Amino acid sequence: MIEKHIVLEDINAMAFYGVGNNHLQMIRSFYPKLRIVARDNVIRVLGDEEQIAMFEGSVEQIRRHILKFNSIQEEDILDIIKGKQCREIPEDVVAYTMSGRPIKPRSENQKKLIDAYKNNDMVFAVGPAGTGKTYLSIALAVKALKDKTAKKIILSRPAVEAGEKLGFLPGDMKDKIDPYLQPLYDALEDMLPQVKLQDMMEKHIIQIAPLAFMRGRTLSDAVVILDEAQNTTPAQIRMFLTRMGWNTKMIITGDMTQIDLPKSQKSGLVEALYILKEVEGIGIVELDRKDIVRHKLVTRIVNAYERFDKATNSEIVK
């Protein structure tokens, strides 16, 4: 009789145990000769060495399943324990949310973004709010991390105000910058267990930083995402793009209708798209209002503002 401790380090333990521990109870029923006790993310198992080895094998396969799908069903557990072929991730699915919802392209242009990422080392994704640019980009980065094709994710944004000044916000520099990076945190929390995400950030496997902190760095073995790039200056985006190192993919997202720079300042994204449009190895994907995947009102709001802008520009021309 031996005792072993199994630690569920990189998955959501609640997904493993199930609601009301129903998954754990099911697993226990297949190993009646073992004493299995779970607390937090540690499973303590006591019993015959051979039985424990079989139990460990089942736990590892269940862990891998949850790592891929962020959830598991009772029928999946049955298939794993009985040695049946488990389901694979469908080809069009990039990743899964913590609730098990598949993240996949929901429009033709979103599919173009995924294809451009596969075929190029640098991708520009430009389009209005709600088209899934940032969310899909982060999903691609999380997939690369899980597939071990990248060692880290680096996410950046320019800290440009949309009406409220940095100096008016309370706290130290990190406290002032965090609100600008919150959309990136939100997307990551939707795709990775909270404990695992915190651990990855502490180990700098996932790094979130304002654009100013990129100067002087060479970014290798990573997926690097620059969000809200319409608010970069030409000098800033040039500095960022030249940080690219070996085995690195870059995704630059932006919305030309939401430039918060002073009127006299040219957007670096606008200039970069003009200069780099013919460069081999760079993909440019333009999303539009047909790609909006938020609440249906977002599409109507974008349409209304587009009509207003056209009318305003027509008056100026007159």
Side-chain angles (χ1 to χ4, degrees):
M1 182 112 16
I2 62 170
E3 180 177 324
K4 273 204 162 186
H5 289 191
I6 302 170
V7 182
L8 305 173
E9 288 185 312
D10 51 0
I11 62 169
N12 182 4
M14 291 307 298
F16 184 98
Y17 299 143
V19 178
N21 284 340
N22 61 335
H23 291 168
L24 186 62
Q25 295 291 358
M26 178 187 291
I27 296 167
R28 280 186 179 129
S29 69
F30 283 93
Y31 297 95
K33 295 180 181 179
L34 297 178
R35 176 174 169 76
I36 302 166
V37 179
R39 177 170 293 181
D40 296 327
N41 67 331
V42 179
I43 301 173
R44 185 168 65 91
V45 55
L46 184 70
D48 176 73
E49 186 173 0
E50 186 177 342
Q51 281 279 307
I52 289 178
M54 292 171 63
F55 173 76
E56 279 187 297
S58 296
V59 168
E60 175 59 17
Q61 288 187 62
I62 294 169
R63 185 195 69 82
R64 289 181 182 178
H65 184 101
I66 296 173
L67 196 60
K68 284 200 295 186
F69 296 96
N70 274 336
S71 66
I72 193 165
Q73 305 301 320
E74 291 184 0
E75 54 265 32
D76 296 318
I77 295 173
L78 286 172
D79 288 343
I80 287 170
I81 294 176
K82 291 180 178 180
K84 293 183 180 179
Q85 183 70 34
C86 296
R87 63 189 172 105
E88 292 297 322
I89 295 178
E91 190 175 334
D92 64 337
V93 173
V94 178
Y96 285 83
T97 66
M98 290 309 300
S99 63
R101 178 178 60 82
I103 301 170
K104 58 184 179 180
R106 296 171 63 181
S107 70
E108 187 60 35
N109 286 327
Q110 285 191 355
K111 187 177 185 306
K112 286 180 182 177
L113 171 55
I114 293 172
D115 291 340
Y117 172 84
K118 291 176 181 176
N119 297 325
N120 299 277
D121 288 336
M122 184 179 291
V123 178
F124 286 84
V126 182
T131 51
K133 306 180 300 294
T134 301
Y135 193 79
L136 204 53
S137 297
I138 291 178
L140 288 166
V142 169
K143 174 177 168 57
L145 206 59
K146 288 187 174 184
D147 292 346
K148 301 190 185 304
T149 56
K151 293 181 180 178
K152 55 187 178 240
I153 298 173
I154 300 170
L155 308 173
S156 187
R157 269 186 155 203
V160 175
E161 307 91 348
E164 188 172 17
K165 299 296 182 184
L166 272 171
F168 297 155
L169 296 174
D172 58 18
M173 181 54 74
K174 182 182 182 302
D175 294 328
K176 291 175 187 289
I177 287 168
D178 270 357
Y180 294 93
L181 306 177
Q182 192 58 49
L184 307 180
Y185 290 116
D186 290 344
L188 286 169
E189 287 172 355
D190 204 23
M191 300 174 205
L192 292 167
Q194 183 63 46
V195 174
K196 184 62 177 176
L197 174 58
Q198 190 64 39
D199 181 61
M200 285 179 164
M201 293 183 73
E202 287 174 0
K203 292 177 179 176
H204 302 291
I205 296 170
I206 295 177
Q207 303 171 28
I208 304 180
L211 182 58
F213 289 19
M214 295 292 110
R215 187 173 296 279
R217 298 183 65 183
T218 300
L219 310 174
S220 300
D221 297 311
V223 177
V224 186
I225 298 172
L226 174 60
D227 194 33
E228 300 287 350
Q230 77 276 2
N231 288 328
T232 60
T233 65
Q236 285 175 327
I237 200 165
R238 184 173 182 173
M239 175 273 292
F240 176 82
L241 297 178
T242 54
R243 301 304 94 201
M244 192 173 194
W246 295 107
N247 190 37
T248 287
K249 293 221 175 203
M250 279 190 168
I251 308 176
I252 301 93
T253 72
D255 177 1
M256 301 301 198
T257 67
Q258 294 188 356
I259 298 175
D260 299 314
L261 294 167
K263 295 293 184 184
S264 59
Q265 179 67 66
K266 186 176 182 181
S267 167
L269 178 60
V270 174
E271 183 177 277
L273 288 171
Y274 175 76
I275 293 171
L276 303 175
K277 60 184 177 182
E278 302 295 337
V279 175
E280 186 179 352
I282 295 178
I284 298 175
V285 180
E286 295 185 9
L287 300 102
D288 55 39
R289 58 178 180 264
K290 295 193 296 294
D291 302 299
I292 293 175
V293 292
R294 290 182 186 167
H295 193 285
K296 60 185 177 182
L297 270 178
V298 176
T299 303
R300 297 173 190 169
I301 290 167
V302 170
N303 290 342
Y305 270 96
E306 282 189 0
R307 289 193 297 270
F308 174 80
D309 290 341
K310 286 178 182 177
T312 304
N313 290 335
S314 297
E315 288 297 321
I316 292 172
V317 170
K318 291 177 182 178

